[in-house]
Amino acid sequence: MNMKQLLFFVLLAVCCLQLSAQSIQQLDSAKTTSIRGLSVVNDNIVWVSGANGMVGRSIDGGASFKWTKVDGFAKTDFRDIEAFDANTAIIIGIDTPAVILKTIDGGITWKIVFQDKRPGMFLDAMEFFNEKSGVVVGDPINGKIFLAVTVDGGATWQAIPESLAPAAEKGEAMFASSGTNVRTVGKEVLLFITGGTRSRLFLRNDKIDLPIIQGKETTGANSLAVWDKKTFAIVGGDFNNAASTEKNCVLTKDAGKTFLTPTTPPHGYRSCVEYLSKSKLITCGITGVDVSEDGGTNWRNISAQGFHVVRKAKKGKAVYLAGGKGRVAKLVW
């Protein structure tokens, strides 16, 4: 073996060791809640939200969490959370009634900033363009997808009139599975995905059919990850058949004009997907966690532990996961 060959094999071994080193580190568990809301401000500040009115916050990188039950909302399921710093965060309660709450004191007190008591109201997810402008999406009301916007950091919200809202097909809705079925690109572009009997990508004025499993209430796209204006990854499946890999992931590099399917798909139904870099992604669901090192073409399972949501720090490298029985974990990578 000459020097060049030796160097090649050494580098290959190092890369293999780095890949195998990826693992999930358990951090905390509040067993009275199932977590689907996760917002990672930076490597140290992490907020989570879930069922039974529970909200958790860590300011030390997950070493410890402070858990609180939001006063007056002990039975509310907070499916999404958006945090801006150690003191400021917004949570959405999905229904009966649908509410949005905001805290500016680290979760000690919460103020109702939006409420809708109409039958059928169901909020799914929330996303912000910046610290002032954001949007929340909800299941269709009277055949129109519910949208509300804020321009003051979530202090007030204004619902988009039904006459201006996008129309949904019968049986088409959204899954409040991880707070990631709506995303933003830059300062103005909003995109979101639907599932159920029909699964589509809504981008500007386009409604693009997705080559993902659909046709039943339990099928369709669950989560959307965006790298840039053209590069997206979408995961989902059938949560009543969680082990199935059939049409559970699609990719696009041209903003939905064409779609690619993975050579090796994620290992089952997946409720959340996140870009870690242009080539590296992570996805999770109730049957485990997968990573891809090649832009989503091939996925490798790194844990059989189920999680609902995974998010990367807005400012930093840390990656956190959360799921059932109050589980919060961190990706070691």
Side-chain angles (χ1 to χ4, degrees), residues 22 24 248 264-270 272-274 276 281-285 287-292 298-305 310 321 331:
Q22 292 172 338
I24 305 298
N248 66 343
T264 308
H267 294 69
Y269 158 79
R270 292 294 179 257
C272 191
V273 63
E274 186 87 326
L276 306 183
L281 297 94
I282 184 169
T283 185
C284 66
T287 61
V289 182
D290 300 287
V291 294
S292 173
N298 293 283
W299 294 86
R300 177 172 55 88
N301 186 255
I302 62 169
S303 175
Q305 178 72 67
V310 55
L321 304 96
L331 177 68

Side-chain angles (χ1 to χ4, degrees), residues 181-225:
N181 55 20
V182 57
R183 298 279 192 166
T184 59
V185 181
K187 297 180 179 180
E188 297 179 351
V189 179
L190 175 74
L191 59 163
F192 58 90
I193 51 175
T194 59
T197 57
R198 191 171 184 183
S199 194
R200 293 188 287 178
L201 167 67
F202 287 68
L203 174 59
R204 298 186 178 90
N205 293 322
D206 296 326
K207 301 176 183 179
I208 304 167
D209 285 307
L210 294 172
I212 204 162
I213 189 169
Q214 54 194 284
K216 300 187 296 184
E217 289 184 358
T218 58
T219 60
N222 276 240
S223 178
L224 165 71

Side-chain angles (χ1 to χ4, degrees), residues 56-118:
R57 182 191 67 150
S58 175
I59 58 174
D60 55 12
S64 63
F65 277 82
K66 179 181 179 181
W67 295 93
T68 58
K69 190 179 290 286
V70 180
D71 189 32
F73 292 89
K75 296 182 179 181
T76 300
D77 195 350
F78 293 116
R79 292 284 183 99
D80 198 8
I81 185 168
E82 184 78 24
F84 302 98
D85 52 47
N87 295 313
T88 311
I90 300 168
I91 49 179
I92 62 171
I94 52 176
D95 63 353
T96 320
V99 294
I100 305 176
L101 308 177
K102 182 175 181 177
T103 183
I104 57 173
D105 57 13
I108 298 173
T109 60
W110 294 84
K111 179 182 178 182
I112 299 175
V113 292
F114 176 85
Q115 184 170 235
D116 195 321
K117 298 181 180 180
R118 286 181 295 171

Side-chain angles (χ1 to χ4, degrees), residues 3-46:
M3 186 59 67
K4 287 185 178 180
Q5 290 173 322
L6 178 61
L7 180 60
F8 170 78
F9 282 110
V10 169
L11 291 173
L12 180 63
V14 170
C15 290
C16 290
L17 285 172
Q18 288 177 339
L19 287 174
S20 63
Q22 292 172 338
S23 61
I24 305 298
Q25 176 189 357
Q26 186 75 37
L27 297 176
D28 205 344
S29 178
K31 296 181 179 179
T32 58
T33 187
S34 177
I35 301 170
R36 293 184 182 272
L38 172 62
S39 186
V40 186
V41 178
N42 54 41
D43 290 347
N44 294 314
I45 302 173
V46 185

